[in-house]
Amino acid sequence: MKRHRKVPESMESQPLRHDHYPASQEEYEAELTETENEYAAQLKQVEDKVQGQAARYLLFGAISVVINITLFYLFYHTMGIGYQLANFIDWLISVQCSFWLDRTFVFKHKSDKPMREMGTFYMTRIATFLLETVILFMGISWLNANGTMTKVIGHAIALVLNFFLSKKLVFKNQPAPAD
């Protein structure tokens, strides 16, 4: 059985250790308060990081959205390419842009395996591409809705899913530097 001893007054100003059991109720409450404060500070850092990433994702995601929608409009309306092929071509181009923007500016990810990350990034984007393809098919072929508006709706849904997939699956291995 471990014996507890009272903390000398000279040690009271030092931070409490977390590798022992408190000897008194006061020491227990002080250590609990310190632990709660440490966790609150860590939680605040995580919240700030996520808010910073979300804000950057919205900013740089807007660039990808403009590229995606503009290319779809050009291919589908201007060049007369079928909407599914137009969607696929603009998807290839915009995913490549998104990967580098997300990796560099949104998640500030540093690793020596960008091609592996790109592969994972494309796999997650294939899932949302398929969802967007279904939305386009339903909107244009079944509902006779405006192609560009249907594209905007489908892409908005995909955009939200893409953020979480990128954060949890693609750029997860290495934490981003503090914002």
Side-chain angles (χ1 to χ4, degrees), residues 54-119:
R56 288 190 307 270
Y57 186 77
L58 289 174
L59 175 66
F60 290 103
I63 294 169
S64 295
V65 168
V66 168
I67 291 168
N68 189 287
I69 302 298
T70 301
L71 289 174
F72 179 79
Y73 182 86
L74 289 172
F75 295 144
Y76 179 58
H77 291 289
T78 305
M79 297 179 179
I81 297 173
Y83 70 85
Q84 294 293 16
L85 182 57
N87 187 49
F88 180 72
I89 296 168
D90 80 61
W91 177 82
L92 284 174
I93 296 167
S94 63
V95 167
Q96 193 57 220
C97 293
S98 292
F99 173 75
W100 292 107
L101 290 171
D102 287 359
R103 184 178 196 276
T104 306
F105 300 110
V106 176
F107 298 104
K108 297 180 179 180
H109 192 74
K110 307 272 189 242
S111 78
D112 57 352
K113 298 178 177 136
M115 292 306 170
R116 176 186 239 174
E117 292 166 353
M118 188 183 301

Side-chain angles (χ1 to χ4, degrees), residues 4-154:
H4 300 289
R5 58 189 163 98
K6 184 170 174 138
V7 177
E9 288 183 35
S10 63
M11 292 181 65
E12 285 182 7
S13 62
Q14 296 176 354
L16 294 172
R17 298 183 335 245
H18 293 285
D19 60 349
H20 74 288
Y21 294 103
S24 67
Q25 181 68 26
E26 292 80 25
E27 186 179 336
Y28 172 79
E29 289 176 7
E31 191 164 323
L32 184 60
T33 300
E34 180 181 357
T35 301
E36 288 172 344
N37 291 339
E38 287 172 0
Y39 285 131
Q42 290 172 355
L43 181 60
K44 175 81 170 110
Q45 286 177 331
V46 168
E47 287 172 350
D48 290 347
K49 178 180 169 185
V50 169
Q51 288 174 350
Q53 285 176 342
R56 288 190 307 270
Y57 186 77
L58 289 174
L59 175 66
F60 290 103
I63 294 169
S64 295
V65 168
V66 168
I67 291 168
N68 189 287
I69 302 298
T70 301
L71 289 174
F72 179 79
Y73 182 86
L74 289 172
F75 295 144
Y76 179 58
H77 291 289
T78 305
M79 297 179 179
I81 297 173
Y83 70 85
Q84 294 293 16
L85 182 57
N87 187 49
F88 180 72
I89 296 168
D90 80 61
W91 177 82
L92 284 174
I93 296 167
S94 63
V95 167
Q96 193 57 220
C97 293
S98 292
F99 173 75
W100 292 107
L101 290 171
D102 287 359
R103 184 178 196 276
T104 306
F105 300 110
V106 176
F107 298 104
K108 297 180 179 180
H109 192 74
K110 307 272 189 242
S111 78
D112 57 352
K113 298 178 177 136
M115 292 306 170
R116 176 186 239 174
E117 292 166 353
M118 188 183 301
T120 306
F121 191 82
Y122 267 91
M123 294 307 292
T124 62
R125 291 311 194 260
I126 287 172
T128 56
F129 171 75
L130 293 174
L131 174 66
E132 190 174 330
T133 300
V134 168
I135 292 170
L136 278 172
F137 177 74
M138 289 171 46
I140 295 172
S141 295
W142 286 0
L143 302 174
N144 292 323
N146 177 281
T148 303
M149 286 310 298
T150 304
K151 173 69 176 177
V152 169
I153 292 167

